[in-house]
Each structure stands twice: as C-alpha cells, then as structure tokens.
C-alpha cells in the first residue's frame, strides 16, 4: 500500500472523494509539537455541491485559492489539511464555496476534529475542551452550534409528543430568560427560545402545529399567566378539552409539618365530570407548594393509567434534597435552595410553622445576578438574625456585598465558617435556615456528610 493511501486511512478521509497529494512534517522546535501538513484534492469526476444546502450545482470559479482546516492530531503532532476551495453556482444560494467532504461549511476545522472537541465539551465543559485542544473558547462554542444544528436538522423533536412541561430558566445576568419545553416521557428538552412571554409560548405551538398539538394529553406549567393563557387559547383552537385541577373539588390537601403533606385526589378525572374515586397520597416533601405538586402529579399519573399502588409508593419514597429539608441537630437546620423572589417568599411563609417558636438565624448566600433587591427584604421577615456567606467563584456575590446591601447582618466566608457562626448565634434550641442559592445549600450538605 502506498504511503499516501496509508495516510488517507489514518486521517479517516473517504477514498471515493479525497486524494492525498503530498504531505510535510514540520518540526515544532524548542520542544513544541510537530505539525503534519497534508495537501488533498477532490477526486476527478466528483460533482460539485453547494456547501450550504448540499444540492448538486455547476462549477462557478476557482474561489479564493487554498484553504486550511485543523484536523485531528496524528500521534504527538497536530495536523492541517490544505485544499483548493472552488465555488459552485447554487440555484438557491448563488455563488457558494463547494461542499468539502471532510469539513462543515464555513468552518476552519475538519468534521472529525469538531466532533471530537464537541464531545469533550459535553463530558467536561467548553473551556476545558478549548484548553485541551489549544483553541479558543469561542471556536468551541461555534463548533457546538454547528454540530447541534446539523444533528437537529436530521430529527424532529416535536414528533409524537403526549405530555410536556413548559417553564422558564435564567441563562444570563440582567434577567434574561429562556422558555424551555420538556418531554415528560423522556425527560429531554425538545424546544427552547429566548424570552418568557405569550409570544414565545405561541412560537412553540406554531412550530408544533395544530395536528400535533391536538395529540397532547398533558401540559404542565407553574401558575404563570403568560403560559396558562396560551395553553387555554390553543386548546380551544384544536377543540381539546382543557381540564384544570381545582382545590376543594378535585383534591384536598393537608400540611403535616416536618412529616410532609397529604392529599386526597379524585383519580377518575378522565371522565367529565369526574366519577369520583378518592385516593389519599402522602409525601415526605414539606410545604404548601408540595400539596399542589402532589395533587397534580397523582392526578396526571392516574390519567396515564399508572396503578394506584405505584403512585402511592412513588409519592411516599420521593426525596428532594435542599427543598425544605429538615436536618436534626442542636440546633436543627432547614435547607431550601430558594434562589429567586417567589421561592424565598414561599420559604418565608413556611418558616414560622416549621420553626415552632425557635429563634431563627438565616444563613444566606446568592449569585450577584439574582434579584437581590427583592430577595433580601424577605430575610428580615422570616429570621431574627442573618449571617451572609458566599461559595466564591465568578457569579457568587461576596458576603460583604450582601451585608452592605441590607446595612446589617454578619458577613462570614467560607461557608463552613459561616455555618458554625450561624449555629452559634442560633443556640442549641434555635433553628438555622440555609437559603438563597443551591450552591450554598450544597456546600452545607457537604459539611454534614460523615468523613
């Protein structure tokens, strides 16, 4: 086998479309990595295709000359592919650089190299992948976009949906949000777009289409009017019956303090009106919000045909660390990852009942890009004293900054020392409420683990 043929196989280049012309191994010098440069060309007789759409198109001109693509490393040497980049005259896109068999359009990297880098970014992160392969973070980001766009073009994530969840998630400082739609049956994100308003939710249902929207059996969301109103609007447009669970009619709940919640649910909700088959479910998750969560989950599971005993067992065994989690001790701890104004308001309403007259000291830490002006006033409502802390890192607000914003409190870092201080101030008969950030809650839980 000739050297060029061996090299082509080592580089993973397709024999039917690519010919290796020559190669050159350049010394890195001063201990640097060597660089293998390989000149290639398309095989004679291969028809030109548009680099954008892949459609067959006549040749237009020779383009701008040679181009380079970073390829996967060969042993200890980096590798570059060099080839001519002629243009074709695409009926849809006009004069366009012809499709290259080994690289995606408008990229300075080979397809194999991009796939490898994106895999590394998925299993680690973009910055780690950039450092590992000696490229910029922005280059990795663009690779992820190209690979994801290509993959999403081959599948339809909106096909066969039966049960979905709609919610929003913050993705950048300055209160910027994404509306995210998940498939309940697979647990995967199937659609996302910038914004959290009615127009964004309508955009999802427009992409879904009326025929597939009519196949939906369950849509879950929080109480946001901008989501619920569009769901009701689209249900009417496809002639679907929209059933909203009502407290007192479809379910009745009881809060059992630290023991969790209890809900009696009419499970035969598929009938209209419901025929009435009350079943009592108990969950160890505490708080008023868990009453409604359990009612909705049990009713949805019943309508999906899941046996009563399976729902009962699931409700009884569910665990949610860091969500109104009670940890016995002297003093005991109440951990809740309340990291936005609504969650902190819900927590503050639960603390008096769970504290049972104890002196309450809040241990609070948060990210600087949260709505701190709305969150911090809640601390005075639910606690006798506040100890501020920080997990450190780029997004975490410092303890001193938080204390300065309220004009009081005690600033202590790191979290371990702040926890000790909060416990001391609460006393053995008091209660320490840890809140403001899931990262802070996680750091406290790590302190509580044996060893």
């Amino acid at each position: 086998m000739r050297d060029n043929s061996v090299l082509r196989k080592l580089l993973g280049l397709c024999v039917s479309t690519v010919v290796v012309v020559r190669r050159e191994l350049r010394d890195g010098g001063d201990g640097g990595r060597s660089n293998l440069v390989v000149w290639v060309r398309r095989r004679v007789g291969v028809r030109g295709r548009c680099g954008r759409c892949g459609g067959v198109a006549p040749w237009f001109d020779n383009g701008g000359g040679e181009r380079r693509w970073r390829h996967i490393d060969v042993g200890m040497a980096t590798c570059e592919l060099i080839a001519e980049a002629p243009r074709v005259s695409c009926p849809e896109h006009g004069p366009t650089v012809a499709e290259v068999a080994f690289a995606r359009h408008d990229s300075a990297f080979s397809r194999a190299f991009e796939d490898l880098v994106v895999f590394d970014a998925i299993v680690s992160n973009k910055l780690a992948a950039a450092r590992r392969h000696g490229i910029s973070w922005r280059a990795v980001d663009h690779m992820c976009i190209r690979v994801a766009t290509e993959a999403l073009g081959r599948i339809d994530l909106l096909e066969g949906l039966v049960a979905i969840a709609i919610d929003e998630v913050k993705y950048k400082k300055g209160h910027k949000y994404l509306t995210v739609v998940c498939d309940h049956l697979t647990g995967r994100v199937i659609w996302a777009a910038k914004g959290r308003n009615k127009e964004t939710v309508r955009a999802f249902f427009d992409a879904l289409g009326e025929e597939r929207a009519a196949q939906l059996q369950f849509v879950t969301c929080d109480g946001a009017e901008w989501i619920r109103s569009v769901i009701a609007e689209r249900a009417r447009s496809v002639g679907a019956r929209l059933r909203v669970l009502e407290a007192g009619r479809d379910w009745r709940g009881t809060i059992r303090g630290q023991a969790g919640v209890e809900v009696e649910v009419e499970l035969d909700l598929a009938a209209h009106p419901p025929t009435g088959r009350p079943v009592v479910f108990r969950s160890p998750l505490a708080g008023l919000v868990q009453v409604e969560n359990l009612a909705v989950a049990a009713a949805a599971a019943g309508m999906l045909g899941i046996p009563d005993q399976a729902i009962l067992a699931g409700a009884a065994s569910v665990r949610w660390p860091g969500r109104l989690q009670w940890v016995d001790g002297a003093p005991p701890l109440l951990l809740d990852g309340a990291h936005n104004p609504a969650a902190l308001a819900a927590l503050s309403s639960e603390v008096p009942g769970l504290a049972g007259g104890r002196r309450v000291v809040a241990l609070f830490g948060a990210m600087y890009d949260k709505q701190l002006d709305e969150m911090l006033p809640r601390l005075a409502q639910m606690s006798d004293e506040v100890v501020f802390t920080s997990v450190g890192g780029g997004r975490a607000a410092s303890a001193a900054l938080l204390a300065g914003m309220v004009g009081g409190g005690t600033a202590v870092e790191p979290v371990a020392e702040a926890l000790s201080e909060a416990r001391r101030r609460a006393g053995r008969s008091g209660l320490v409420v840890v809140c403001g950030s899931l990262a802070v809650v996680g750091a406290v839980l790590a302190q509580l683990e044996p060893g």
Side-chain angles (χ1 to χ4, degrees):
M1 185 178 290
R2 295 184 303 172
D3 292 347
N4 284 352
S5 297
V6 173
L7 183 59
R8 187 186 64 244
K9 289 182 177 295
L10 288 174
L11 298 179
L13 302 176
C14 181
V15 64
S16 62
T17 57
V18 178
V19 175
V20 174
V21 178
R22 62 189 178 94
R23 72 277 184 193
E24 179 182 331
L25 183 61
R26 297 173 178 173
D27 187 11
D30 296 328
R33 298 178 67 186
S34 299
N35 182 37
L36 177 64
V37 183
V38 181
W39 283 261
V40 299
R41 64 170 175 83
R42 71 182 67 246
R43 190 168 290 278
V44 175
V46 174
R47 302 181 68 180
R49 292 182 176 273
C50 174
R52 294 171 182 258
C53 64
V56 176
W59 297 107
F60 183 74
D61 61 18
N62 290 327
E66 288 185 340
R67 292 195 180 184
R68 293 171 176 262
W69 292 266
R70 169 79 182 273
H71 194 45
I72 54 177
D73 297 345
V74 180
M76 295 298 293
T78 60
C79 180
E80 280 187 307
L81 302 179
I82 300 179
E84 298 287 343
R87 297 194 296 174
V88 295
S89 181
C90 177
E92 180 178 354
H93 299 105
T96 307
V97 175
E99 180 181 78
V100 179
F102 51 82
R104 294 179 176 90
H105 183 68
D106 201 24
S107 174
F109 306 94
S110 72
R111 182 182 296 273
F113 184 77
E114 286 191 331
D115 291 346
L116 175 62
V117 173
V118 171
F119 175 80
D120 282 347
I122 291 172
V123 298
S124 56
N125 57 64
K126 293 178 183 177
L127 182 59
R131 289 173 174 171
R132 184 175 297 116
H133 296 281
I135 56 179
S136 69
W137 180 94
R138 190 172 298 278
V140 177
D141 186 56
H142 289 167
M143 290 181 192
C144 291
I145 293 172
R146 282 191 292 271
V147 172
T149 300
E150 181 181 87
L152 291 173
R154 296 196 295 261
I155 59 175
D156 185 358
L157 294 175
L158 304 184
E159 187 62 36
L161 296 177
V162 176
I164 62 172
I166 305 177
D167 204 352
E168 82 273 7
V169 61
K170 189 173 184 179
Y171 73 96
K172 206 171 186 179
K173 66 180 181 180
H175 309 311
K176 295 184 178 181
Y177 290 85
L178 296 174
T179 295
V180 180
V181 183
C182 296
D183 183 350
H184 271 306
L185 300 185
T186 64
R188 296 176 179 173
V189 174
I190 47 94
W191 190 89
K194 293 181 180 179
R196 55 166 181 171
N197 49 46
K198 293 181 180 180
E199 288 68 30
T200 311
V201 181
R202 288 191 182 108
F204 163 71
F205 282 103
D206 289 342
L208 185 64
E210 288 196 357
E211 182 177 345
R212 293 189 293 192
Q215 297 172 1
L216 291 175
Q217 297 181 29
F218 297 96
V219 180
T220 62
C221 64
D222 58 20
E225 188 275 337
W226 56 274
I227 301 177
R228 292 188 294 110
S229 60
V230 176
I231 293 173
E233 169 189 299
R234 292 307 171 102
R236 289 192 297 270
S237 70
V238 298
R241 179 171 60 84
L242 181 64
R243 185 60 187 268
V244 179
L245 293 179
E246 295 183 11
R249 184 194 69 182
D250 301 317
W251 59 272
R252 288 160 291 281
T254 303
I255 299 175
R256 302 163 60 218
Q258 298 175 30
V261 297
E262 178 179 290
V263 176
E264 182 181 287
V265 183
E266 303 280 354
L267 279 192
D268 287 342
L269 295 176
H272 188 65
T275 58
R277 180 166 58 87
V279 180
V280 177
F281 299 92
R282 292 184 177 87
S283 168
L285 301 183
L288 178 62
V289 67
Q290 300 303 338
V291 175
E292 186 172 315
N293 286 347
L294 180 57
V296 172
M303 294 180 72
L304 286 171
I306 298 175
D308 294 0
Q309 291 303 315
I311 306 174
L312 287 164
S317 62
V318 67
R319 297 292 183 273
W320 195 346
R323 181 62 69 189
L324 280 181
Q325 180 182 359
W326 185 274
V327 179
D328 287 323
L333 306 180
L334 179 63
L335 300 99
D336 192 278
H339 55 86
N340 58 52
L344 204 58
L347 172 62
S348 64
S349 67
E350 301 287 352
V351 168
L354 293 170
R358 294 180 175 90
R359 170 178 169 79
V360 176
V361 174
L363 175 56
F364 182 89
M367 303 296 113
Y368 74 86
D369 55 358
K370 294 294 182 177
Q371 296 162 282
L372 297 175
D373 54 336
E374 298 180 42
M375 296 171 65
L376 292 174
R378 293 282 183 184
L379 297 175
Q381 299 173 16
M382 70 178 187
S383 64
D384 300 293
E385 194 173 355
V386 183
V387 175
F388 294 100
T389 190
S390 174
V391 294
R395 287 182 57 219
S398 68
L401 173 65
L402 295 171
M405 290 182 69
V406 299
T410 304
V412 181
E413 295 183 31
V415 174
E417 294 182 13
L419 177 60
S420 297
E421 180 64 17
R423 280 173 158 165
R424 186 187 70 78
R425 291 175 178 271
R428 295 180 62 84
S429 60
L431 173 67
V432 175
V433 178
V434 182
C435 60
S437 166
L438 291 170
V440 171
V441 170
V444 170
L445 285 173
Q447 294 292 319
L448 302 178
E449 292 179 356

